[in-house]
Amino acid sequence: MAALIYHILSSSALVSMGLYHVICSTRNHLKSPRDYFAKPYHPFSYPSLSSSLSQRIKYLQLYLLILCLLVAFAHQILISSDSDPLLKGRTPVHRFTSLQAAGVLFLFLLLSLALFLSETTSLLPFPPDLFFGLASALFFLQYSVSSSAASVQTSDLQAKCDSVSARISALSALLCLVLACLPRLFVADVGLGASLCLQGLWILQTGLSLYVDAFIPEGCHKLLDVISGVEGSTKCDLEDSKLRAVAILDLVFVVYVMFVVVIVIVTYAAVAKTVGIKRFGCYEALPTAASADSNHIQMKAMTGTQA
């Protein structure tokens, strides 16, 4: 149950952070396309609130991000020392993969702290291109760790979930690298937020597929001597059951991709309706009937004068 709660909290944090990034990036692009460039952090701003309260919640996203990373880091450290009921002792593979994941989370925590210092003080000026470059390296490291974990897993479902998560991390690494080189590329900025949403949804699916009986594919089951659901806790008996489970997970992943695409489209439409679309430095407004009649009368008056 604790592992499922951890997956749910991690999924909520990633989805909310990715959706917030998509909304803010779309709003900034629609407000000023010519001056747009990708930002690693978008502070909260509510003009209707008082200045003191607005200043307090300005860095709320960074506070929550640092807190979530601290909790995730502590969780990975704790589970690395858990015993594996299958071996009645500590599993070196499980321990090392958990420590690798903890190391990656610690690096993301350092990067978040550096961003916080850059936003709140003048001690550490942190340019956006450097941030995206380092983020790209960390996402690639996460891809490497997830791929290694998938290759040594004894659970078929866990291995499949880790491999898909690794691909999403590789996509995030590529988008961060593109933003480091091309900070004005709006598509890459929105794609980064969408990849975070997709990663969050897949983490939720991983928790459901491994720890909730109703979502475990047919032909697969939890091993009877596993209580806490650590490495190797879900197994498929037959090769056909394994292939069927993998195909189901692939189908679910495609559904999640479609869902994220719909979210991005709906978000863009909603923000565009609220902010308006600005092109070539000015808002384009359709001519009304009154303005068209006025222009027609002015043109006739000018023609009569010239005649």
Side-chain angles (χ1 to χ4, degrees), residues 103-205:
V104 174
L105 290 172
F106 181 73
L107 291 176
F108 274 111
L109 178 61
L110 289 181
L111 186 62
S112 301
L113 290 174
L115 180 61
F116 177 76
L117 292 177
S118 176
E119 292 288 336
T120 57
T121 65
S122 58
L123 298 177
L124 185 63
F126 210 50
D129 54 350
L130 177 60
F131 174 86
F132 284 118
L134 293 177
S136 176
L138 294 186
F139 276 120
F140 184 79
L141 180 61
Q142 186 180 27
Y143 157 75
S144 177
V145 170
S146 298
S147 299
S148 299
S151 64
V152 298
Q153 282 291 345
T154 58
S155 169
D156 302 322
L157 294 182
Q158 180 72 59
K160 178 61 179 179
C161 292
D162 287 344
S163 63
V164 174
S165 178
R167 296 171 191 170
I168 302 175
S169 299
L171 175 62
S172 299
L174 177 61
L175 292 173
C176 286
L177 181 61
V178 172
L179 289 175
C181 302
L182 302 171
R184 296 182 179 275
L185 190 58
F186 171 68
V187 176
D189 199 13
V190 172
L192 178 60
S195 68
L196 294 178
C197 291
L198 184 60
Q199 186 71 271
L201 291 174
W202 188 252
I203 288 177
L204 176 61
Q205 182 61 42

Side-chain angles (χ1 to χ4, degrees), residues 6-232:
Y6 172 76
H7 279 78
I8 293 175
L9 294 178
S10 300
S11 173
S12 302
L14 284 173
V15 171
S16 59
M17 183 171 62
L19 184 60
Y20 178 76
H21 187 83
V22 170
I23 293 174
C24 293
S25 300
T26 303
R27 183 184 60 186
N28 293 340
H29 181 266
L30 292 176
K31 281 185 176 180
S32 181
R34 287 185 174 180
D35 300 330
Y36 170 82
F37 64 93
K39 297 179 180 179
Y41 169 68
H42 301 274
F44 286 107
S45 60
Y46 293 95
S48 59
L49 299 178
S50 61
S51 58
S52 59
L53 183 59
S54 179
Q55 189 66 24
R56 290 178 182 176
I57 67 173
K58 183 178 181 180
Y59 304 107
L60 180 61
Q61 183 192 8
L62 282 178
Y63 295 145
L64 294 177
L65 176 60
I66 293 173
L67 177 61
C68 291
L69 287 173
L70 280 174
V71 172
F73 173 72
H75 176 266
Q76 291 295 334
I77 291 295
L78 290 176
I79 67 173
S80 66
S81 59
D82 283 345
S83 59
D84 187 352
L86 295 178
L87 300 180
K88 304 300 181 183
R90 294 182 178 179
T91 307
V93 173
H94 172 68
R95 184 178 185 181
F96 291 151
T97 55
S98 299
L99 289 176
Q100 289 174 0
V104 174
L105 290 172
F106 181 73
L107 291 176
F108 274 111
L109 178 61
L110 289 181
L111 186 62
S112 301
L113 290 174
L115 180 61
F116 177 76
L117 292 177
S118 176
E119 292 288 336
T120 57
T121 65
S122 58
L123 298 177
L124 185 63
F126 210 50
D129 54 350
L130 177 60
F131 174 86
F132 284 118
L134 293 177
S136 176
L138 294 186
F139 276 120
F140 184 79
L141 180 61
Q142 186 180 27
Y143 157 75
S144 177
V145 170
S146 298
S147 299
S148 299
S151 64
V152 298
Q153 282 291 345
T154 58
S155 169
D156 302 322
L157 294 182
Q158 180 72 59
K160 178 61 179 179
C161 292
D162 287 344
S163 63
V164 174
S165 178
R167 296 171 191 170
I168 302 175
S169 299
L171 175 62
S172 299
L174 177 61
L175 292 173
C176 286
L177 181 61
V178 172
L179 289 175
C181 302
L182 302 171
R184 296 182 179 275
L185 190 58
F186 171 68
V187 176
D189 199 13
V190 172
L192 178 60
S195 68
L196 294 178
C197 291
L198 184 60
Q199 186 71 271
L201 291 174
W202 188 252
I203 288 177
L204 176 61
Q205 182 61 42
T206 300
L208 294 176
S209 299
L210 295 178
Y211 307 114
V212 180
D213 294 333
F215 289 90
I216 296 178
E218 184 180 354
C220 303
H221 59 85
K222 291 183 178 179
L223 299 179
L224 297 178
D225 56 347
V226 176
I227 301 175
S228 58
V230 293
E231 176 195 10

Side-chain angles (χ1 to χ4, degrees), residues 256-270:
Y256 280 146
V257 171
M258 295 170 58
F259 182 65
V260 170
V261 171
V262 171
I263 289 178
V264 172
I265 294 175
V266 172
T267 301
Y268 186 90

